[in-house]
Amino acid sequence: MRKIKYKKARKVQPNPLEYIGKHKQYESEMQLFVYDENAVEENQNIALSDLKQHIHLNKNNWLNLHGLNDLKIVEGIGAFFQIDSFLLSDILNTTRRTKLEESSSSLFFNIKSILPAENSDNISIEQISFLLKEGVLISFQEKRSDFFTHIRERIRTKTGIVRSKKADYLLYLLLDAVIENFYITIDNEEDKVEELLTLSKTSADPNILIRIEKHRDNFNFLKRSIIPLRDSLTTIKSLKEDTLCNVIETDSYVYFSRLHQKSLELLEQIESDMEIVESASNFFFSSQGHKMNQIMKTLTIVSAIFIPLTFIVGVYGMNFENMPELQYKNGYYIIIGVMFLIVMGMIAYFKKIKWF
């Protein structure tokens, strides 16, 4: 789980833009889709200098940036589309929580995209930011990924209604694709917790408890990521009654309502899964306690059997001269027989009272 780190030093001048994230090995690269119901133009590895000639505001424009390391490109996009510097700062600072900023001419939205890490109990986190303006949608990704491959294919092949809708509908599709990653991550976490429940029934390995606590942290992080997403989607729903923001079509609010409903479903599922994780932790401790009780019961039975035998041995180990049994020819065999009968009688008694 990543923690937010703040610099202690305070400067008079504001800090310049700086990418704060983990994916610093990826080069910055832009792709541009310009489309309407009749045609689509796709530009890979487009340069800042080419934006002016390729952007057509009478059509839908989707500009996607992979990699946030090249600050000149980020600043250039900000200058070209007149994006406020504080929004650029939010795009580059991936430690910020999900947020929504609306104005009369734009809508800014950032979101955490979460997927399970390969061969690990960790989860992979990437911040994706969106800026919606009239006829333009800009998406900022920390690294190249295939979250939106199916959406690009729908645009190319004119599948569905994406080509006949405005850029706000494209924003809905992109957000929906990111939210689907939460479902994938939750399903993966549930499978791993179920596996740990099975292991806890057959193994006393303390690493099982460590893994259970790790998944508890993962679910808590998922919950903390979805709550601000739910709040932001609630705000988008409320914009329908507000005349301030004009970048979302009236008939598109129903799509964002669906996303809000999904966020509520995710929270409910996480609450249920956290109860399962709590049960898994309690079951592990109960299982270990039961095993310890079984061990103590076995030791108690053995001790109880040997107490009378130890008493007999102690009595006849005393060195008094006037102990008549010491002179019996078959005294040794008699005592051994008595001890054997005592053992068998106690075993029969313990079995009768169901100690074992």
Side-chain angles (χ1 to χ4, degrees):
M1 179 175 61
R2 294 191 301 177
K3 295 182 178 180
I4 299 176
K5 297 182 180 180
Y6 296 96
K7 296 180 180 179
K8 294 182 180 180
R10 292 182 177 270
K11 299 180 181 180
V12 176
Q13 296 295 331
N15 290 327
L17 294 177
E18 178 185 2
Y19 170 55
I20 303 175
K22 298 173 62 177
H23 306 287
K24 297 184 178 181
Q25 71 275 25
Y26 294 93
E27 296 182 0
S28 298
E29 180 183 330
M30 292 191 299
Q31 304 86 36
L32 175 65
F33 276 82
V34 181
Y35 65 91
D36 59 14
E37 193 169 6
N38 300 316
V40 58
E41 177 188 344
E42 182 176 351
N43 298 279
Q44 297 290 335
N45 301 325
I46 191 171
L48 279 171
S49 57
D50 297 329
L51 287 179
K52 187 173 181 180
Q53 70 180 82
H54 288 288
I55 293 288
H56 300 286
L57 295 180
N58 59 332
K59 298 181 179 181
N60 292 318
N61 302 267
W62 175 22
L63 178 65
N64 183 72
L65 174 63
H66 288 124
L68 303 178
N69 297 296
D70 194 331
L71 298 182
K72 290 183 178 179
I73 292 181
V74 177
E75 291 174 342
I77 293 175
F80 185 86
F81 292 101
Q82 298 179 344
I83 304 174
D84 292 333
S85 59
F86 75 90
L87 291 182
L88 294 179
S89 176
D90 287 339
I91 291 169
L92 293 171
N93 188 352
T94 63
T95 62
R96 302 280 175 85
R97 76 198 298 263
T98 295
K99 66 176 293 186
L100 175 75
E101 293 280 350
E102 73 275 3
S103 68
S104 59
S105 60
S106 67
L107 181 73
F108 174 77
F109 200 114
N110 70 0
I111 185 174
K112 296 291 189 291
S113 177
I114 298 176
L115 280 172
E118 294 183 3
N119 304 318
S120 171
D121 287 334
N122 296 322
I123 52 179
S124 176
I125 308 165
E126 176 190 354
Q127 177 172 286
I128 303 178
S129 302
F130 302 99
L131 183 71
L132 177 65
K133 299 173 74 73
E134 185 64 36
V136 178
L137 177 62
I138 312 169
S139 53
F140 300 86
Q141 296 182 249
E142 291 189 77
K143 61 185 180 72
R144 178 177 287 276
S145 57
D146 58 354
F147 303 154
F148 309 136
T149 301
H150 65 290
I151 299 175
R152 295 186 180 94
E153 194 61 29
R154 290 173 67 174
I155 294 174
R156 295 185 187 109
T157 60
K158 200 178 178 180
T159 302
I161 60 174
V162 60
R163 291 266 291 272
S164 62
K165 289 287 188 178
K166 300 292 186 180
D168 55 352
Y169 181 77
L170 177 61
L171 174 61
Y172 155 72
L173 291 178
L174 299 180
L175 289 174
D176 186 57
V178 175
I179 290 176
E180 285 299 317
N181 292 340
F182 281 94
Y183 284 101
I184 294 172
T185 304
I186 290 174
D187 286 344
N188 182 76
E189 290 292 311
E190 289 173 346
D191 291 341
K192 289 184 176 180
V193 170
E194 186 67 29
E195 176 188 348
L196 290 175
L197 272 171
T198 303
L199 284 175
S200 64
K201 296 176 182 178
T202 58
S203 173
D205 188 351
N207 287 325
I208 293 176
L209 182 61
I210 295 174
R211 290 185 61 194
I212 289 174
E213 292 303 314
K214 174 63 178 176
H215 290 294
R216 190 201 307 274
D217 291 341
N218 288 348
F219 278 121
N220 279 323
F221 181 79
L222 285 167
K223 183 178 180 180
R224 291 198 305 273
S225 299
I226 295 174
I227 287 176
L229 171 62
R230 176 204 60 189
D231 297 340
S232 297
L233 291 170
T234 302
T235 302
I236 290 182
K237 287 176 59 180
S238 67
L239 293 178
K240 186 176 181 179
E241 310 298 330
D242 190 352
T243 58
L244 174 64
C245 185
N246 302 314
V247 294
I248 299 180
E249 299 288 320
T250 302
D251 59 351
S252 294
Y253 282 101
V254 64
Y255 302 118
F256 292 96
S257 295
R258 294 175 186 174
L259 296 181
H260 180 257
Q261 184 62 35
K262 283 189 174 183
S263 68
L264 296 179
E265 292 174 358
L266 286 169
L267 284 175
E268 289 177 0
Q269 186 62 41
I270 288 176
E271 291 291 346
S272 174
D273 290 334
M274 290 182 70
E275 292 179 3
I276 294 174
V277 173
E278 185 69 26
S279 298
S281 179
N282 293 337
F283 180 84
F284 180 83
F285 285 117
S286 297
S287 177
Q288 301 311 305
H290 177 70
K291 290 177 181 178
M292 181 60 69
N293 289 337
Q294 290 296 107
I295 293 172
M296 294 304 298
K297 185 172 71 172
T298 302
L299 293 177
T300 301
I301 292 172
V302 172
S303 300
I305 290 174
F306 275 90
I307 285 174
L309 304 185
T310 304
F311 172 76
I312 295 173
V313 171
V315 169
Y316 286 101
M318 295 185 293
N319 295 320
F320 292 112
E321 293 184 359
N322 297 320
M323 294 180 68
E325 294 88 352
L326 296 178
Q327 307 300 322
Y328 291 170
K329 181 178 180 180
N330 297 316
Y332 169 76
Y333 301 105
I334 293 172
I335 293 300
I336 290 296
V338 170
M339 294 170 71
F340 177 76
L341 292 175
I342 291 174
V343 170
M344 296 306 296
M346 294 186 72
I347 290 175
Y349 175 73
F350 292 146
K351 198 160 187 177
K352 183 179 180 181
I353 62 175
K354 297 182 180 180
W355 275 27
F356 61 88

